[in-house]
Amino acid sequence: MGEVGAEASRTDATAAGQAPRRLSFTTMLDGFFFVFAGIASVWLAWLVLTQSFEFGWFGIAFFVAFWLVLAYLVLPRLHRILAAIYVPEYFIGRARTSDGLLGDPVNLAFDGSEASVHAAMRAAGWTRADDITLASGWRIVTSTVTRRSYDEAPVSPLFLFHRQQGFAYQQEVEGNPARRHHVRFWRTPDWWLLPGGRRVEWLAAGTFDRSVGFSLFTLQVTHKIDADIDVERDHIVATVLGANPVAGVEVLHDFSTGYHSRNGGGDTIRTDGDLPVVDVGEVPVVAIEAAP
Amino acid sequence: MSAADPERRHVSVEKRPAFESPAVLATPVTPPVSMPRPAATAFGALLVCGRVAAGIAGLVALGLAWDDIVRTELEIELEGRDSQAASDLVLTVVIVAGGVVLAVELLLALFIWRGSNRARVTVMSFSTISIVVAWIDSVTGSTEITLRTTFVTLALDILVLLALSSRNARAYARRPRQRSILHRRWAGDPALRRRHRPRTSHAE
């Protein structure tokens, strides 16, 4: 299994038109700068904190700055360094956050072409999430401030097979940006099999954002997810099957029964461990494309 | 489907250690051929400009307070027009030298913005040196780091280093360039042929 992870990155390397390289002096230098910057940022956080005691009431601004430095610079970098050492790179049924922490559990699988998945999800009343760009980021800020609905709001990047999700779908609840159903999709590498030997074309992680809060591990502002991830999984499967009569489902029972843990934001997750494999290969692509 | 599948690769089942090698932190990132400029690179270039601005402010402050500095810090009494002229000459030399350094820094910021890896490594090296020097200064107690002294430049150095050492900035600076690839293909570079072979064999 360990080699699978390494193999996946090698495939990425060749796809990018580059042969895999051995550790050279410049890459070692990059590694050094990466770690040194992490250590230096701890010092910076400490300096900002000590400054906050020097300026009376104005020190509150420094305290906020301290939190920003800690949550968005120091802790992500430290997590990245430590997680690179102690979180395995091969598939363990969990996506990883951009800091390398364990993220949402993989609790769904799909068979079918990308167009079929899009068609099935759209027919089931799901909205594709925008990619994270400057424009969509600005729209999040304005929609949060004006309390306006933004039902194509982007989802945070999670990684599987060293890759960010290919796309994500979501359903906003009551026009409230803090609460939404969402599911991320990753295409599995061509030769890759699930533990147990089943071949699926897509893996997906569906969770329900119940509110906005602080991440346990990085102290960043983030969505908190509902602990009962099976409810969300079953909701996704039910909507897809309900709207697409030709879609079928096969459940791999007790696929991840033992995974009762936390996601990347430190939220508890509970699951019965079943992995539904939804077959959307027969969903007509063209007919759905024409529909609004 | 798996056993009969000729596409299936044979995966080694050797035992592996219970921890990942820290060397993964140094493994080269493999960027896509076309990659939009990541926020980390843009922010890093902007921060280097911030350092230049801090440098200009420092030079202006130095120029305004030069006579005081000469008298109190260097303890030189200026007597007569000759010594005053000499003092002004020294100030001019210092400001010109500083200006040249800042202009080079600004140029490096531009190169970083355009994705030069050499500029990125150069700036990170100087930031590292400057951080280490500041740290030694503060540990030996020769200067206390406060907002009124070296805090701003130190903070900028650390932020520059954080931004430019991030994986996105690294990937952007090391992304394969179309122009250099074409040029080397024309020159018949064997390393390039090696590099391109996987792409043709790999239909993705």
Side-chain angles (χ1 to χ4, degrees), chain A residues 1-4 7 11-19 21 23 26-38 40-41 43-44 47-48 51 55 62 73 77 80-81 84-85 87-90 191 193 197 199, chain B residues 1-2 8-9 11-12 16 19-20 22-31 33 120-121 124-125 128 131-132 134-135 138 145-148 151 154-155 158-159 161-162 165-167 170 174 176 195 198-199 202 204:
Chain A
M1 281 304 290
E3 289 301 303
V4 174
E7 198 72 19
T11 314
D12 288 350
T14 47
Q18 275 185 310
R21 280 170 292 186
L23 289 184
T26 50
T27 57
M28 289 302 288
L29 201 63
D30 270 331
F32 163 75
F33 283 133
F34 195 79
V35 176
F36 182 80
S41 68
W43 189 36
L44 176 66
L47 287 174
V48 174
Q51 291 292 307
F55 289 91
F62 271 95
L73 298 175
R77 179 60 61 98
R80 182 82 240 174
I81 293 167
I85 296 167
V87 181
E89 281 285 7
Y90 49 86
W191 40 269
L193 305 173
R199 161 100 183 100
Chain B
M1 107 195 280
S2 52
R8 190 187 177 195
R9 304 198 189 173
V11 171
S12 162
R16 59 197 305 282
F19 55 88
E20 303 289 317
V24 293
L25 290 167
T27 47
V29 286
T30 49
V33 178
R120 188 181 72 98
V121 171
M124 287 199 298
S125 306
T128 303
I131 291 166
V132 169
W135 181 75
S138 80
I145 295 164
T146 67
L147 199 59
R148 292 188 186 83
F151 178 79
L154 176 65
I158 294 176
L159 292 176
L161 192 58
L162 265 176
S165 68
S166 71
R167 297 173 74 84
R170 194 196 303 181
R174 289 181 173 283
R195 197 191 264 196
R199 194 198 259 176
H202 205 273
E204 200 167 352

Side-chain angles (χ1 to χ4, degrees), chain A residues 184-288:
Chain A
R184 297 177 175 85
F185 289 83
W186 293 267
R187 192 178 183 87
T188 57
D190 286 337
W191 40 269
W192 190 84
L193 305 173
L194 279 176
R198 175 78 153 81
R199 161 100 183 100
V200 294
E201 282 177 71
W202 300 87
L203 285 174
T207 49
F208 179 66
D209 285 338
R210 58 181 166 83
S211 63
V212 170
F214 288 99
S215 157
L216 178 69
F217 299 123
T218 59
L219 307 177
Q220 293 175 0
V221 176
T222 180
H223 276 111
K224 310 301 283 180
I225 65 164
D226 191 56
D228 215 337
I229 57 170
D230 295 347
V231 175
E232 180 71 1
R233 179 195 68 197
D234 297 342
H235 167 73
I236 297 162
V237 174
T239 51
V240 170
L241 292 184
N244 301 282
V246 289
V249 65
E250 177 197 342
V251 178
L252 304 181
H253 290 286
D254 302 318
F255 175 74
S256 57
T257 309
Y259 299 170
H260 304 265
S261 184
R262 293 172 188 284
N263 80 338
D267 305 327
T268 317
I269 47 181
R270 274 193 310 273
T271 175
D272 61 16
D274 290 352
L275 183 82
V277 183
V278 185
D279 186 358
V280 294
E282 301 296 309
V283 172
V285 175
V286 185
I288 300 295

Side-chain angles (χ1 to χ4, degrees), chain B residues 100-177:
Chain B
V100 168
V101 169
L102 292 178
V104 169
E105 225 173 328
L106 204 60
L107 216 58
L108 285 171
L110 180 72
F111 286 139
I112 288 171
W113 176 268
R114 292 172 53 174
S116 156
N117 193 45
R118 265 183 220 162
R120 188 181 72 98
V121 171
T122 308
V123 166
M124 287 199 298
S125 306
F126 280 110
S127 291
T128 303
I129 292 166
S130 147
I131 291 166
V132 169
V133 168
W135 181 75
I136 290 171
D137 274 356
S138 80
V139 165
T140 55
S142 55
T143 45
E144 198 189 347
I145 295 164
T146 67
L147 199 59
R148 292 188 186 83
T149 56
T150 53
F151 178 79
V152 174
T153 47
L154 176 65
L156 281 171
D157 272 328
I158 294 176
L159 292 176
V160 163
L161 192 58
L162 265 176
L164 294 183
S165 68
S166 71
R167 297 173 74 84
N168 280 344
R170 194 196 303 181
Y172 185 67
R174 289 181 173 283
R175 75 197 187 284
R177 305 293 208 289

